[in-house]
Amino acid sequence: MAASLLGSPLADVESLSLLPADAVTGFGRTLVVAPHPDDESLGCGGAIALLRERGRPVHVLVVSDGAGSHPNSRAYPAPALTALREREALDALAMLGVEADAITFLRLPDRFVPRAGSAGFADAARHFRACIDQFAPDTILLPWRRDPHCDHRAAWELVTTTAPDTPRLIEYPIWVWELGEHDDSPQAGEMHGWRLDICAVLPHKLAAIAAHVSQTTDLIDDDPDGFRLSNADLRHFNRPWEVFLEP
């Protein structure tokens, strides 16, 4: 376990309470907020699949356009990369039981999703609020508040600014596992961490992750600085449980 997690609820992750798959029935109507196309599959793909298996409504809100993963690709300039990543997200979520009409793409600029107090935040917040009002979730699954990526933190700020009255906000970690500094990780007493048993739907989750081909393979090979999920990154998301954090 990374040194940055010592003293946090994630330090000894396997000691966290393991909730059964049926625990998702208590989520009710669930809105999943994904900073980028693929975060929904990585962070809570198992929970999504379990919710849909049990007939619970799920709506997925993808915040950024995903065009920042390969900014120098000539084969996939920004509009083409955005279209590709949205197709991948549609395919991935179909594997998890979510239909296309239950997915909203906000298409905010990847790596530049506005933060609280910055230009564009108020407009983005209005779009968020409209989606929340239309879906009326009982639970929102959102990225961990200090996940070490600017778009993840911006997405958390957008949710907590526009939906403070949502009955339940549950956070999922993505980058804190590999990139987090000590201050990024949950601190002792700050959050209640728990695991959700996703063993029964793990194959669906792994298939959904693999559907994000642009992020998991060398499909886009003309940008030497392009992003690809490494084996070290992926090992945190191929486990038979998912980790969630609540205040």
Side-chain angles (χ1 to χ4, degrees):
M1 184 59 61
S4 64
L5 300 181
L6 294 177
S8 85
L10 302 181
D12 183 11
V13 68
E14 294 194 24
S15 71
L16 296 177
S17 299
L18 180 64
L19 275 60
D22 277 342
V24 299
T25 59
F27 290 9
R29 296 173 61 82
T30 301
L31 176 67
V32 176
V33 175
H36 309 92
D38 74 2
D39 288 318
E40 79 296 325
S41 300
L42 293 165
C44 49
I48 293 171
L50 291 172
L51 284 161
R52 295 303 299 132
E53 277 193 351
R54 287 154 177 78
R56 296 302 191 271
V58 172
H59 194 97
V60 178
L61 180 59
V62 182
V63 179
S64 77
D65 59 17
S69 68
H70 296 78
N72 302 310
S73 173
R74 300 182 70 176
Y76 287 90
L81 183 52
T82 293
L84 171 63
R85 296 203 64 185
E86 289 188 6
R87 290 196 300 272
E88 292 173 346
L90 289 167
D91 290 343
L93 284 162
M95 295 173 185
L96 300 175
V98 179
E99 297 181 354
D101 62 1
I103 306 167
T104 299
F105 295 100
L106 282 189
R107 303 188 179 103
L108 295 176
D110 189 356
R111 299 185 298 170
F112 300 98
V113 176
R115 301 289 302 271
S118 68
F121 186 82
D123 285 341
R126 279 193 289 271
H127 289 298
F128 254 76
R129 187 71 233 186
C131 184
I132 290 166
D133 288 344
Q134 181 176 9
F135 185 64
D138 301 304
T139 296
I140 299 180
L141 301 182
L142 68 161
W144 161 238
R145 61 190 65 191
R146 292 193 300 276
D147 221 30
H149 189 296
C150 55
D151 291 343
H152 289 224
R153 297 186 182 199
W156 184 88
E157 290 172 349
L158 284 164
V159 173
T160 54
T161 297
T162 57
D165 52 348
T166 298
R168 193 173 186 186
L169 300 178
I170 304 176
E171 303 175 31
Y172 60 87
I174 296 285
W175 290 112
V176 72
W177 300 111
E178 288 294 317
L179 302 179
E181 302 293 337
H182 176 73
D183 289 344
D184 298 328
S185 63
Q187 303 301 300
E190 179 184 21
M191 306 293 287
H192 169 58
W194 48 272
R195 295 178 297 153
L196 176 67
D197 185 347
I198 63 164
C199 186
V201 295
L202 181 59
H204 300 298
K205 174 175 178 169
L206 296 180
I209 292 173
H212 293 279
V213 181
S214 66
Q215 308 301 293
T216 58
T217 74
D218 291 328
L219 172 70
I220 304 176
D221 59 5
D222 65 341
D223 182 355
D225 297 320
F227 173 79
R228 178 177 174 178
L229 285 161
S230 68
N231 289 334
D233 298 329
L234 290 169
R235 68 188 173 91
H236 299 292
F237 308 108
N238 64 5
R239 301 179 287 201
W241 36 262
E242 291 173 337
V243 174
F244 296 100
L245 298 161
E246 294 187 81

